[in-house]
Amino acid sequence: MSFLYSAFYTLIIGAVFIFLFILAYDLLYGEKPAKQTKKIHKYFRNESIKKIDVLESLPRKFTLYQVTTNHGVMKIKMKPGYKVIKIVSKDKQKGKK
């Protein structure tokens, strides 16, 4: 019975360390483009995406994408940790004031 408990404990602790290792690797060396495009598709799940273009890529800092949807063209910035930031042009900001 103690063998079963130790094996279960080892699996749980091992899974936690593997998860932390993957998270640290993404933050230190940048995220893979496949993971980022999955996040973009998840972010725009209510709209149909026609095209995704990479404008600028600095893997440890950010990646700038231009996403073409049915509603128009949007620029987004993805930071490590899969944080999506919409970029609003200065012309649109002036028109709202």
Side-chain angles (χ1 to χ4, degrees):
M1 194 63 149
S2 65
F3 175 74
L4 186 62
Y5 287 134
S6 66
F8 186 66
Y9 178 75
T10 304
L11 287 175
I12 289 175
I13 297 300
V16 169
F17 277 115
I18 289 172
F19 176 75
L20 291 175
F21 178 74
I22 291 171
L23 185 67
Y25 183 82
D26 281 348
L27 289 175
L28 293 176
Y29 296 106
E31 299 159 343
K32 296 182 179 173
K35 284 185 177 181
Q36 288 183 339
T37 54
K38 282 183 183 179
K39 181 63 178 184
I40 291 172
H41 281 286
K42 187 175 179 181
Y43 188 77
F44 290 104
R45 65 182 171 269
N46 295 334
E47 302 176 25
S48 54
I49 297 174
K50 293 181 181 177
K51 189 175 181 185
I52 299 174
D53 295 322
V54 178
L55 299 177
E56 186 176 351
S57 179
L58 299 171
R60 296 176 87 185
K61 293 183 180 181
F62 67 90
T63 305
L64 189 63
Y65 287 100
Q66 182 173 344
V67 181
T68 307
T69 63
N70 288 340
H71 298 295
V73 177
M74 291 182 235
K75 290 184 182 177
I76 60 169
K77 182 188 281 190
M78 289 195 68
K79 292 188 173 186
Y82 306 115
K83 184 175 181 182
V84 177
I85 301 169
K86 280 190 180 179
I87 297 176
V88 179
S89 66
K90 292 180 181 179
D91 297 336
K92 289 184 180 180
Q93 287 179 348
K94 287 180 183 178
K96 289 184 178 181
K97 289 183 180 180

